């Protein structure tokens, strides 16, 4: 009972990063962690430097063993998850056991990552597939860079409402 109460308090009052570290997730420097979804073996997850893990992302370090337990009662398999440096994982993505996400990668929102991802790639979908290259995306986005990152909310709002439509991404 106490363990459950402590768990609930941590999830309510601690930041997701502090919670993740407390349960054994290895996290590098300058990360932005916004999820509590580190599963039942969080100590099998490593996150590198300068990574953003957004809301609703879930990491799975095991699964599927249930169907074999009538034949093998203690059946369990596991896979470590490694997220290297400079990675963005979009909202509600699922990262499956044994996956390595190499450096300089974007995972699109809602993706199911079932295989390791090469450096410099953009992947999305279910299952996640390569949809682009980070260098190509950079070239396409540079003309739209509005340099608002250090603006406060009101300054940014005023600025964005004054910008011509051509400066916004359009699809």
């Amino acid at each position: 009972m106490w363990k459950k109460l402590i768990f609930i308090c941590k999830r309510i009052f601690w930041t997701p990063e502090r919670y993740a570290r407390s349960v054994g997730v290895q996290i590098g420097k300058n990360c932005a962690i916004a999820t509590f979804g580190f599963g039942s073996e969080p100590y099998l997850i490593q996150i590198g430097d300068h990574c953003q893990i957004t809301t609703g992302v879930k990491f799975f370090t095991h699964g599927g063993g249930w169907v074999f337990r009538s034949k093998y009662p203690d059946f369990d398999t596991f896979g470590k998850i490694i997220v290297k440096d400079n990675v963005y994982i979009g909202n509600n993505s699922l990262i499956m056991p044994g996956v390595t996400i190499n450096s300089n990668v974007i995972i699109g929102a809602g993706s199911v990552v079932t295989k390791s991802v090469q450096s410099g790639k953009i992947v999305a979908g279910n299952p996640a597939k390569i949809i682009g290259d980070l260098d190509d995306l950079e070239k396409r986005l540079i003309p739209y860079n509005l340099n608002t990152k250090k603006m406060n909310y009101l300054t940014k709002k005023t600025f964005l409402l004054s910008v011509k439509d051509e400066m916004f991404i359009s699809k």
Side-chain angles (χ1 to χ4, degrees):
M1 173 79 166
W2 283 108
K3 268 186 166 180
K4 202 172 217 179
L5 186 59
I6 290 169
F7 171 77
I8 291 168
C9 286
K10 284 181 179 181
R11 295 215 26 184
I12 292 172
F13 297 110
W14 286 8
T15 65
E17 183 173 343
R18 182 177 179 197
Y19 169 78
R21 288 182 190 279
S22 80
V23 295
V25 178
Q26 297 173 42
I27 302 172
K29 299 177 206 143
N30 302 315
C31 291
I33 310 293
T35 187
F36 290 95
F38 296 101
S40 55
E41 297 83 29
Y43 43 83
L44 296 178
I45 301 168
Q46 299 173 7
I47 299 171
D49 297 336
H50 196 260
C51 292
Q52 185 172 12
I53 314 295
T54 60
T55 304
V57 172
K58 293 183 180 167
F59 294 86
F60 299 92
T61 55
H62 75 282
W66 179 266
V67 298
F68 301 110
R69 290 197 185 130
S70 59
K71 189 172 182 179
Y72 308 101
D74 295 327
F75 191 92
D76 260 335
T77 60
F78 301 90
K80 291 182 177 183
I81 296 173
I82 300 169
V83 178
K84 297 203 175 169
D85 300 335
N86 200 37
V87 170
Y88 173 86
I89 303 178
N91 287 33
N92 300 314
S93 292
L94 308 177
I95 314 301
M96 304 311 286
V99 165
T100 295
I101 300 171
N102 284 289
S103 297
N104 304 309
V105 165
I106 295 174
I107 307 292
S111 297
V112 180
V113 183
T114 61
K115 295 182 179 173
S116 293
V117 182
Q118 300 170 356
S119 292
K121 299 299 178 190
I122 304 165
V123 300
N126 179 7
K129 296 189 180 338
I130 296 172
I131 62 166
D133 185 272
L134 209 55
D135 291 336
D136 293 338
L137 180 63
E138 180 181 5
K139 289 174 192 166
R140 286 195 323 265
L141 291 182
I142 286 294
Y144 298 101
N145 180 13
L146 297 175
N147 295 304
T148 63
K149 194 61 186 165
K150 294 182 182 172
M151 291 181 186
N152 67 41
Y153 177 83
L154 289 176
T155 304
K156 182 178 176 181
K157 178 181 175 184
T158 302
F159 174 74
L160 289 176
L161 291 173
S162 71
V163 171
K164 293 181 181 179
D165 286 345
E166 301 84 51
M167 291 306 298
F168 289 99
I169 296 169
S170 177
K171 298 180 181 182

